[in-house]
Amino acid sequence: MSTSVKKLPSIVESMSTLISQNSISSVLPQYDRSNMDVIHSLAEWFEALGFEVDVLPIAGEPGKANLLATMGKGDGGLVLSGHTDTVPCNPEKWTSDPFTLTERDGKYYGLGTCDMKGFFSLVIEAVQAFKAGDFKQPLMVLATADEESSMTGARALAEQGKVKGRYAVVGEPTSLRPIRMHKGIIMETVRLTGKAGHSSNPDLGINSIDAMHDVIGELRNLRGELQRNYSNAHFAVSVPTLNLGCIHGGDNPNRICGSCELAFDLRALPGMSNDDLREQIRQRLNPIAEQNKVEFELETLFPGVEPFETAKTSALVEAAERLTGYQSEAVAFATEAPFLQALGFETIVLGPGSIDQAHQVDEFIAIDQIEPCVELLRSLIQRFCVDAS
Ligand SMILES: [Zn+2]
């Protein structure tokens, strides 16, 4: 054993370190933190394991980076992918400190244990069973920034096109069941601007709430049509959804409301396209704005995540189903999978811990998920990097 191998931490040691490194990402600047501590820890460990490590800064996002660690060469291979950030938390509501890995009742508690810095600790454990000479195809580990806030890390990777390979596993918490589908999501704001005036004479203004009433009607029509035209029985909610989330407008009962805005999300099924949906919304709302003589803007609140589906016949899906004993499923939450798919990877979501504990007070990973996950990762590495032709 070379001296460098001694630097490698145990699962608990690496998980303790990663959990202690605050890497919250948030669209609210007061909560948003750099992920560089986590990136540096991972870089150090994967270098010690003999990987070639690239830290990839994200343009326009100081203090944020992705990491790509590669062992072996070839144009195929397997990517094990996770995000380095966590959501914000309410420490005062936790039973123990969210930044201190704490073992209790067969569980490791801490912010990011299951969603999902803990996954990297299991990857580090799994890869120690292999050495570079074993690999016919490369094994890559990808650690991204800002998944919980804006997905800028995954988006930057997709734009750079640097990561290449054939298969990808996103280790989000799925209780070790293979996931090959999820819905997409967009969030949009409709902004209508009319003209304020004294309410005693409607001709003195243009009422934006009246106009918004028609907009809401049309969005509900659209929702009904989408739900009649698209359905996928793999999903617990089998149809696309459109939720009218918040509305603001006006200031007084005796003033004509000059401006009104409405924000909604739309979760599309695989086979639908976010860009097409935005275009449809625009085309349907434009005439309504014209009829009502209001100005109309559609603002995209974040770039969105495309719906995701990998074919059931994919070699990766087949291997994951065989190794776990579970049929592949669909989940309700969005992941970075569509960005990896856009890079040409056959992609699944499969990881330890449960989504029920993600984004919650007292987040944990059940200890009995750890050994099976390490074994599963070893089997996938064996199949797609060692035995791979
Ligand atoms: Zn996650």
Side-chain angles (χ1 to χ4, degrees):
M1 288 268 128
S2 71
T3 49
S4 66
V5 173
K6 283 188 192 146
K7 281 193 257 166
L8 285 169
S10 68
I11 292 176
V12 173
E13 285 165 345
S14 66
M15 212 184 286
S16 298
T17 300
L18 296 174
I19 299 307
S20 73
Q21 293 171 327
N22 182 336
S23 57
I24 288 172
S25 81
S26 174
V27 291
L28 302 174
Q30 65 267 38
Y31 296 118
D32 193 56
R33 298 283 291 254
S34 166
N35 72 334
M36 292 311 294
D37 289 347
V38 172
I39 292 290
H40 288 142
S41 294
L42 294 175
E44 184 185 320
W45 297 328
F46 282 103
E47 269 165 12
L49 281 162
F51 282 66
E52 205 173 287
V53 172
D54 279 317
V55 173
L56 308 165
I58 299 166
E61 298 279 329
K64 307 273 184 168
N66 297 318
L67 173 145
L68 175 65
T70 309
M71 185 183 270
K73 290 201 165 27
D75 52 10
L78 177 68
V79 174
L80 301 175
S81 180
H83 60 82
T84 58
D85 59 320
T86 70
V87 288
C89 66
N90 301 94
E92 72 285 356
K93 294 190 177 153
W94 280 59
T95 309
S96 51
D97 176 23
F99 300 101
T100 305
L101 190 75
T102 306
E103 183 180 348
R104 207 163 60 237
D105 313 324
K107 297 158 186 161
Y108 290 126
Y109 289 87
L111 181 65
T113 44
C114 80
D115 188 15
M116 57 172 287
K117 294 190 274 188
F119 177 69
F120 294 114
S121 299
L122 309 198
V123 171
I124 289 164
E125 185 69 15
V127 299
Q128 291 178 58
F130 303 91
K131 47 190 190 311
D134 296 338
F135 291 165
K136 292 201 191 82
Q137 290 291 340
L139 172 65
M140 291 154 278
V141 178
L142 187 56
T144 62
D146 282 356
E147 191 268 352
E148 298 288 7
S149 50
S150 56
M151 298 217 181
T152 46
R155 198 164 283 113
L157 281 169
E159 280 160 14
Q160 290 160 351
K162 266 191 187 169
V163 188
K164 292 198 167 57
R166 180 84 194 274
Y167 302 103
V169 175
V170 179
E172 291 278 359
T174 68
S175 305
L176 295 177
R177 292 175 181 230
I179 302 302
R180 65 180 182 89
M181 279 184 223
H182 63 62
K183 288 182 182 175
I185 180 167
I186 58 174
M187 295 185 192
E188 310 288 304
T189 294
V190 174
R191 195 167 291 122
L192 301 182
T193 311
K195 187 164 167 272
H198 197 286
S199 65
S200 59
N201 182 353
D203 290 341
L204 293 177
I206 300 169
N207 193 311
S208 324
I209 293 179
D210 283 355
M212 192 61 88
H213 171 264
D214 292 352
V215 163
I216 289 171
E218 191 57 25
L219 288 174
R220 293 181 63 182
N221 290 342
L222 173 66
R223 175 170 66 195
E225 282 170 35
L226 293 175
Q227 293 182 342
R228 280 191 295 281
N229 294 337
Y230 295 93
S231 168
N232 183 327
H234 288 97
F235 288 89
V237 177
S238 63
V239 290
T241 57
L242 187 162
N243 177 63
L244 305 175
C246 56
I247 186 163
H248 300 284
D251 45 32
N252 227 39
N254 59 358
R255 273 189 97 209
I256 295 168
C257 171
S259 66
C260 183
E261 54 178 63
L262 167 74
F264 63 93
D265 79 352
L266 199 170
R267 293 166 190 260
L269 286 169
M272 302 168 76
S273 141
N274 287 344
D275 281 345
D276 287 354
L277 288 164
R278 286 195 185 104
E279 191 48 40
Q280 271 193 64
I281 292 164
R282 226 176 268 284
Q283 281 179 10
R284 297 175 73 131
L285 298 188
N286 261 324
I288 290 177
E290 272 172 37
Q291 283 156 26
N292 283 278
K293 299 188 174 63
V294 290
E295 280 173 40
F296 160 60
E297 278 175 276
L298 184 67
E299 186 194 349
T300 292
L301 293 176
F302 87 123
V305 181
E306 290 293 331
F308 153 71
E309 177 174 15
T310 295
K312 190 165 168 61
T313 51
S314 155
L316 180 58
V317 172
E318 282 176 358
E321 288 185 341
R322 181 171 42 78
L323 290 167
T324 60
Y326 291 110
Q327 291 292 302
S328 55
E329 298 171 6
V331 287
F333 55 93
T335 72
E336 296 176 324
F339 297 98
L340 289 161
Q341 209 178 28
L343 285 165
F345 291 93
E346 289 178 27
T347 306
I348 58 170
V349 185
L350 173 62
S354 165
I355 196 70
D356 296 344
Q357 273 84 53
H359 302 197
Q360 301 289 332
V361 164
D362 289 344
E363 175 182 339
F364 67 82
I365 186 167
I367 294 175
D368 64 10
Q369 292 264 297
I370 289 177
E371 236 355 270
C373 181
V374 171
E375 278 309 309
L376 178 61
L377 291 171
R378 285 184 180 153
S379 300
L380 290 169
I381 295 167
Q382 181 72 35
R383 165 71 179 79
F384 292 101
C385 301
V386 178
D387 300 337
S389 50

